[in-house]
Amino acid sequence: MKLTSRSVSLVPIMATALAAALGAVLVVSAPANAATTLGAAAAQSGRYFGTAVAAGRLSDQTYVNILNTEFNMVTAENEMKWDATEPNRGQFNYSGGDRILNQAVGNGSRVRGHALLWHQQEPGWARSMEGSSLRQAMINHVTQVATHYRGKIYAWDVVNEAFADGGSGGRRDSNLQRTGNDWIEAAFRAARAADPAAKLCYNDYNTDGINPKSTGIYNMVRDFKARGVPIDCVGFQSHLTNNAPSDYRANLQRFADLGVEVQITELDIAGSNQANAYRDVTNACMAIRACTGITVWGIRDTDSWRTGENPLLFTGSGAKKPAYNAVLDALNAGGPGPTTTTTTTSNNPGPGGCTASVSLNQWNDGFVASVKVTAGSSALRGWRVTATLSNGTVTSSWSSNRSGNSGAVTFTNVDYNGSVPAGGSTEFGFQGTGSGAGLNPSCTAT
Ligand code: 9MR
């Protein structure tokens, strides 16, 4: 897959070089083996292309045909939100969310979960709550919903739109925020505990360039990474008009440099420059290895929440718009995406032993390694994992004590994750510069 994407992306470069050498104008057409759907084109570089889906439209055949043909990631537009999934306190309803998830899985697509906590679309019962009882109710919500969908969600928007617009760079006021400034990290920890395999994202809008709001979020993510709060990705909604900000790519890159994935989560673009702006946004993602995919917020213009603005890739009757072709071409020309590899080293998995496996997210000059420690047929009381860096250094680590930062680096359990039941597992992680290839973690019970 990677080879194909490299050879595809080299074609225009070679053609351009040839044109320059000949002093001639050469029209570069799409490579002969270019993919013909958005999902397949994104997959060539290891990325996805997704859309928001409304359960109520799944009986519309035109809609479903485009959905099944073009997209390989799905977000429930409303059906996994708090008001939909817990309309009465402690009574959960997953009918709409499950319908969307099952349709997506049946079509070979993955699912982004949206959204565990958001100050809008709180159910009425939660809106009238505050303080510690609200804190308890919201964490329970995160735990219940993430547990229901455990193992089935690619990435969760754990918290949506918690930062204020304008120049403050601070949090938005809400009853959630008033339960204490640590509500976001409490939600991320609860989500990680409930579904360790899902990537956990913070998602927001008006964060598409470098501005006080995106910088406030940047500082939160940096702090989370430094303190070991589990966060894997940041979603940039990208509800745009005419243009992406000129520093769109630089903004994505600065987040990627913190060691999180970046995802474009709700893209729609109104205005007469639509096709160019869609191309620019797609190119920005393709230029960043840690940009793992793009989701548009609906399929046809008539499906959009931005009534009358026609901000999507298909017309109301389901025809492809110029913006569709701009995106498809940019995906086909896209640079290398994330390389996620999983290697497992087994040592002494019998009674008293453990195994360690690493899942690696590598970009140009750095990586994030997530290590899973699995107990053998006896419970663990403590563990030690050694991983070897062939170059570069470990710059931060979480959910473990570390000794060393280059060469053979040793990690041991912290107080809350040393006890692992027989056959059970726990995770820790670290971030480093250079290549994470060949870490070959080995695990010893202590
Ligand atoms: O598209 C969604 C629309 O159908 C809902 O009525 C609305 C409710 O507030 O939410 C819309 O989706 C929003 C998303 O969940 C979060 N970011 C902004 C989106 C557009 O409002």
Side-chain angles (χ1 to χ4, degrees):
M1 206 131 82
K2 252 166 53 200
L3 263 184
T4 315
S5 78
R6 288 232 168 79
S7 51
V8 167
S9 63
L10 277 178
V11 171
I13 297 168
M14 291 186 312
T16 311
L18 185 65
L22 295 174
V25 178
L26 197 72
V27 177
V28 180
S29 56
N33 57 348
T36 56
T37 66
L38 301 168
Q44 293 173 115
S45 63
R47 296 182 173 91
Y48 64 82
F49 203 92
T51 181
V53 167
R57 296 187 200 274
L58 288 174
S59 47
D60 175 333
Q61 210 45 55
T62 308
Y63 182 88
V64 172
N65 283 346
I66 301 173
L67 171 62
N68 288 350
T69 307
E70 295 287 345
F71 300 97
N72 54 16
M73 184 69 77
V74 159
T75 305
E77 187 170 358
N78 290 298
E79 292 78 352
M80 293 189 189
K81 292 172 180 173
W82 196 352
D83 60 348
T85 50
E86 196 181 0
N88 300 302
R89 187 172 183 181
Q91 284 178 6
F92 292 85
N93 180 346
Y94 299 110
S95 56
D98 285 357
R99 190 156 165 232
I100 289 178
L101 183 123
N102 291 335
Q103 202 281 342
V105 170
N107 187 48
S109 287
R110 291 181 293 170
V111 176
R112 289 192 86 265
H114 174 81
L116 291 171
L117 293 177
W118 184 23
H119 66 284
Q120 271 188 37
Q121 289 186 274
E122 279 180 32
W125 62 266
R127 250 182 275 143
S128 61
M129 288 176 75
E130 59 183 12
S132 57
S133 52
L134 175 61
R135 173 66 73 102
Q136 200 189 3
M138 77 198 213
I139 296 300
N140 181 57
H141 178 77
V142 170
T143 300
Q144 296 299 324
V145 177
T147 300
H148 174 79
Y149 288 112
R150 182 186 174 101
K152 297 177 179 161
I153 299 289
Y154 164 71
W156 266 112
D157 291 331
V158 179
V159 170
N160 191 44
E161 302 178 11
F163 275 71
D165 290 311
S168 76
R171 299 281 181 84
R172 168 194 302 281
D173 179 54
S174 71
N175 62 344
L176 304 175
Q177 178 63 28
R178 288 192 296 271
T179 70
N181 203 50
D182 63 342
W183 73 279
I184 298 182
E185 61 191 86
F188 274 79
R189 290 188 201 279
R192 177 69 98 225
D195 186 357
K199 294 178 191 294
L200 305 181
C201 303
Y202 176 80
N203 190 51
D204 216 326
Y205 69 93
N206 278 354
T207 53
D208 311 305
I210 296 176
N211 60 38
K213 186 175 179 182
S214 63
T215 298
I217 296 164
Y218 175 87
N219 290 335
M220 177 187 76
V221 174
R222 189 174 54 184
D223 171 56
F224 279 14
K225 279 294 192 184
R227 290 190 295 113
V229 178
I231 183 166
D232 307 303
C233 37
V234 176
F236 298 82
Q237 295 185 9
S238 304
H239 297 294
L240 300 170
T241 298
N242 280 325
N243 286 304
S246 57
D247 53 6
Y248 188 86
R249 175 176 162 185
N251 188 46
L252 296 180
Q253 184 68 58
R254 70 174 175 154
F255 279 86
D257 290 344
L258 292 175
V260 284
E261 287 182 10
V262 293
Q263 301 171 3
I264 296 164
T265 51
E266 303 183 15
L267 181 62
D268 49 22
I269 309 178
S272 56
N273 191 43
Q274 183 174 66
N276 288 329
Y278 264 106
R279 176 183 296 111
D280 290 347
V281 167
T282 309
N283 281 338
C285 178
M286 295 296 115
I288 297 170
R289 283 186 89 149
C291 184
T292 50
I294 300 175
T295 295
V296 287
W297 206 241
I299 298 178
R300 301 162 302 193
D301 284 335
T302 43
D303 302 319
S304 172
W305 67 293
R306 296 172 76 175
T307 313
E309 291 192 87
N310 299 328
L312 294 172
L313 300 178
F314 294 84
T315 65
S317 56
K320 295 168 181 171
K321 294 166 63 180
Y324 170 95
N325 293 315
V327 170
L328 184 66
D329 290 350
L331 292 172
N332 270 317
T339 49
T340 302
T341 49
T342 304
T343 54
T344 306
T345 305
S346 277
N347 44 328
N348 189 20
C354 51
T355 59
S357 65
V358 60
S359 166
L360 194 66
N361 185 11
Q362 176 82 51
W363 59 94
N364 294 346
D365 47 10
F367 66 89
V368 171
S370 306
V371 183
K372 189 173 185 179
V373 173
T374 303
S377 50
S378 302
L380 295 172
R381 277 178 313 210
W383 45 263
R384 182 173 63 239
V385 170
T386 302
T388 307
L389 273 74
S390 49
N391 61 52
T393 56
V394 177
T395 50
S396 66
S397 52
W398 46 95
S399 306
S400 61
N401 295 309
R402 169 165 55 96
S403 100
N405 68 354
S406 63
V409 182
T410 299
F411 304 86
T412 53
N413 63 278
V414 283
D415 54 2
Y416 60 83
N417 64 7
S419 294
V420 184
S425 57
T426 187
E427 294 201 27
F428 72 96
F430 57 99
Q431 181 181 347
T433 59
S435 170
L439 288 168
N440 288 336
S442 66
C443 186
T444 311
T446 58

